[in-house]
Amino acid sequence: MAEPTDIQHPQPSAAEDMGRIDSTNWGRLVAILVALVLYSEIAPMQLGMVSIIVPKFAASFPGAGAGVTWAVTIVGIAGGATMALLGKLGDLIGKKRMTLLCGLLFLIGALLCVFTSSWPLFLVGRALGGASWALTAVEYGLVRDLLPRKWIPIAIGVIGTGFGIGAVLTPIICGALTDHYSWRAVFWFLIIYVVVTTPLVMIFVPESPFRIKQRLDILGAVLFGGSIGLILVYVSEGSSWGWVHATSLAYLIIGVVLFAGFIAWELRTPEPMIELSLLRSRAVAIPMAVAFLFTLGIATVNILIAYMFQTPKAPALEGQIVAGAAAKAHVPASLVAKFVTFRGDISYANGFSVLQMALHITVWTALFGMIFGVVGGWLCRRFGARFLLIISGVFLLIACALWVKWHSSWQEQVFIGVLYGIAFGFYYASNPNLLVDAVPAERQGVSAGMLAVFGSIGTSVGTAIFTAIAGAHPFQLVANQGGKTIVSNIPSVYTDSAYSLSYIAIGVIPAALTVLLAVALRTGRTPARGGAPEAALLTAQEGAGAV
């Protein structure tokens, strides 16, 4: 009996299958997959590396001030605003072509960042780098069009979790380059990486011959990209600007108005950029909602871990603060210590460097994510993606619930992080596979782009939630001056309760909602098909043809 679905999934046409490579050609299939995975690592590598070196930009761009964090923010905004469009262009003009175009845009942006001394031009370069966020979405389409059906579920898991270069090696490479040279050396490394891996895609990955014949909905693309970009600005910067400040609300209101205009236009244009009927389908709407919730959790957990384990241990931090105050007042530190105390529990602090954190924690969660991305793809092909999505949500729920109490040592973080790594791998194997089987081939690029957009929004929302919680629980310096008590917040240092509450808000709750949504899915209950129609439907069609 065929699994119930609310989308008519037609039998694949000859055009869809004409570029598919025979399963006996193992060498060529492996070369394609390796080239695609290496190229898709551009996105996590550039985001991870630049996030680490943001403080280094202040000396080179003194006019940026506190706005140096826009070096990261603008990538998410530009990526969120363009991912659906780039995915759609892949459906129209060719997915390999769009993969290489994403790499080219990133390369131009990185070169601009290396050579410019202007902060606005640097941000333009970073915005061009946001195009790399669409790489994975476009590559899902290439995998669907080129690989044998039985390879697709596993290949999707491999592309989603990668080879660990971005997660494992990024802090090590970035730390070495920055310590020995400068932040510009990091961009040179990224440039060289793109230059080396681009020929691999050009040589080993054929272009998919499958195209859809449709005009690009330019107005729809502008309305959608503009609305998502403005809404992401509001979500990303609302905590620092003020959620109800006039400037913040202006971004939100204009973004919502543009999004309403986008919906109205898509409903009336004969060739829409996004067929909204797809989003009304449970088979598509639930994976989109899950992308928002799950990415909200896993992206923000990474931020939490970085903050916690790079915070100096309490004695060292307090000593630094007292020494700094003493130097400023030109008095002995022992004298200052008599008049100050500290308020808040920071027993979680470990004082790791970026390299130490990578070796003690990040490498292990990334390793388990890689392994279980491949295992998850195989399980999707064997048992179905819905069950795996439920398991990934359950594991994330358990991991974050345990972290609420146990997060003070790296051993606790790693032990519980095994569950987190499994959840990570299973999610990136199951959710994209659900979407591949839910949408027709001619909508693969734009739907995968939409999935990435929902994930990008989740990342911004999760960061905003953590910022709000952390800001309400600062570690504080209490000084007694002339009988007056003066309380000052220590920048970027938060109490233990801030992290416990954050694990609940951005981990436990989204994971629980993910499980409920996955249970409600009617699709994904049979083995993943790699985009092929359901067996029963094929049999019925073949029977009708025979008659």
Side-chain angles (χ1 to χ4, degrees):
M1 181 177 178
E3 64 178 284
T5 180
D6 45 3
I7 295 180
Q8 293 299 316
H9 207 319
Q11 186 173 1
S13 64
E16 181 183 344
D17 280 333
M18 72 167 57
R20 201 170 304 284
I21 297 167
D22 189 86
S23 59
T24 60
N25 198 344
W26 273 70
R28 191 178 182 196
L29 290 169
V30 170
I32 291 171
L33 188 56
V34 169
L36 290 177
V37 173
L38 288 174
Y39 212 58
S40 68
E41 293 274 14
I42 294 171
M45 283 177 61
Q46 63 103 0
L47 186 62
M49 286 185 168
V50 177
S51 298
I52 294 171
I53 62 175
V54 163
K56 304 292 184 182
F57 297 147
S60 300
F61 303 103
V68 291
T69 55
W70 267 84
V72 175
T73 302
I74 199 167
V75 175
I77 292 171
T82 58
M83 278 186 284
L85 172 61
L86 294 174
K88 181 69 174 184
L89 284 171
D91 291 333
L92 294 174
I93 67 173
K95 300 178 181 72
K96 176 182 176 179
R97 190 170 294 158
M98 283 310 305
T99 297
L100 294 172
L101 178 60
C102 288
L104 177 61
L105 289 174
F106 172 81
L107 183 62
I108 294 171
L111 286 169
L112 191 58
C113 290
V114 164
F115 288 113
T116 188
S117 58
S118 164
W119 180 243
L121 284 178
F122 180 86
L123 291 181
V124 171
R126 296 297 296 135
L128 289 172
S132 66
W133 276 37
L135 274 172
T136 301
V138 179
E139 288 186 3
Y140 284 154
L142 272 172
V143 163
R144 176 175 181 162
D145 293 349
L146 297 176
L147 270 58
R149 298 284 186 186
K150 66 179 182 179
W151 278 60
I152 293 173
I154 298 175
I156 285 174
V158 175
I159 288 179
T161 54
F163 290 152
I165 297 174
V168 178
L169 298 182
T170 285
I172 300 171
I173 296 170
C174 187
L177 291 174
T178 306
D179 290 348
H180 290 86
Y181 301 101
S182 73
W183 64 263
R184 295 183 192 271
V186 172
F187 282 93
W188 277 117
F189 171 81
L190 292 170
I191 289 167
I192 293 170
Y193 183 88
V194 175
V195 170
V196 170
T197 54
T198 295
L200 298 180
V201 177
M202 296 176 68
I203 294 169
F204 294 111
V205 181
E207 177 61 276
S208 166
F210 184 70
R211 303 278 196 284
I212 59 171
K213 295 181 179 179
Q214 179 182 330
R215 290 182 301 174
L216 179 63
D217 178 16
I218 297 176
L219 179 57
V222 171
L223 290 172
F224 182 79
S227 64
I228 295 298
L230 291 172
I231 292 171
L232 284 175
V233 169
Y234 173 78
V235 173
S236 300
E237 300 298 319
S239 59
S240 57
W241 294 348
W243 296 107
V244 295
H245 189 273
T247 303
S248 297
L249 289 176
Y251 280 100
L252 176 63
I253 292 170
I254 296 173
V256 171
V257 169
L258 289 178
F259 191 74
F262 164 75
I263 293 175
W265 171 253
E266 295 297 282
L267 289 173
R268 35 178 315 199
T269 184
E271 295 182 323
M273 186 179 92
I274 300 171
E275 292 184 9
L276 298 180
S277 59
L278 286 177
L279 297 179
R280 291 196 297 267
S281 157
R282 184 186 300 185
V284 175
I286 287 181
M288 296 293 177
V290 166
F292 167 79
L293 292 167
F294 209 94
T295 310
L296 184 155
I298 60 176
T300 316
V301 162
N302 291 333
I303 297 174
L304 261 66
I305 294 172
Y307 266 97
M308 282 193 296
F309 285 88
Q310 292 185 61
T311 298
K313 292 184 177 181
L317 177 63
E318 293 170 3
Q320 291 173 10
I321 294 170
V322 169
K328 188 175 181 180
H330 304 289
V331 296
S334 57
L335 179 62
V336 173
K338 295 179 180 179
F339 297 96
V340 300
T341 57
F342 293 89
R343 181 185 298 169
D345 174 16
I346 58 169
S347 57
Y348 63 84
N350 279 260
F352 282 175
S353 66
V354 173
L355 180 58
Q356 287 175 321
M357 191 181 73
L359 296 176
H360 284 81
I361 300 172
T362 310
V363 65
W364 302 108
T365 53
L367 179 63
F368 276 94
M370 288 165 50
I371 293 171
F372 283 92
V374 179
V375 173
W378 180 83
L379 291 173
C380 285
R381 193 180 73 182
R382 181 89 176 176
F383 302 107
R386 173 183 173 269
F387 172 72
L388 207 65
L389 186 61
I390 294 172
I391 296 300
S392 69
V394 170
F395 278 15
L396 181 63
L397 174 61
I398 295 173
C400 290
L402 292 173
W403 273 329
V404 170
K405 181 174 177 59
W406 292 290
H407 54 245
S408 296
S409 69
W410 70 267
Q411 292 91 341
E412 290 174 340
Q413 200 72 33
V414 170
F415 181 76
I416 300 170
V418 171
L419 294 175
Y420 170 81
I422 296 172
F424 175 87
F426 279 2
Y427 166 75
Y428 278 105
S430 59
N431 210 39
N433 266 305
L434 283 167
L435 194 66
V436 166
D437 283 344
V439 301
E442 60 268 19
R443 299 292 178 264
Q444 175 62 49
V446 70
S447 62
M450 285 292 297
L451 196 73
V453 169
F454 275 86
S456 178
I457 296 172
T459 300
S460 297
V461 170
T463 304
I465 292 172
F466 167 66
T467 301
I469 293 174
H473 298 82
F475 184 60
Q476 296 177 318
L477 170 70
V478 182
N480 188 343
Q481 293 184 357
K484 291 184 178 181
T485 300
I486 301 174
V487 179
S488 304
N489 296 340
I490 308 301
S492 301
V493 182
Y494 311 107
T495 63
D496 187 78
S497 58
Y499 294 103
S500 294
L501 290 172
S502 294
Y503 274 122
I504 295 172
I506 57 89
V508 172
I509 294 174
L513 293 174
T514 292
V515 173
L516 293 175
L517 287 171
V519 169
L521 264 173
R522 297 188 298 169
T523 52
R525 300 181 185 222
T526 56
R529 308 182 304 273
E534 300 163 50
L537 180 58
L538 275 173
T539 302
Q541 290 174 336
E542 289 168 358
V547 173

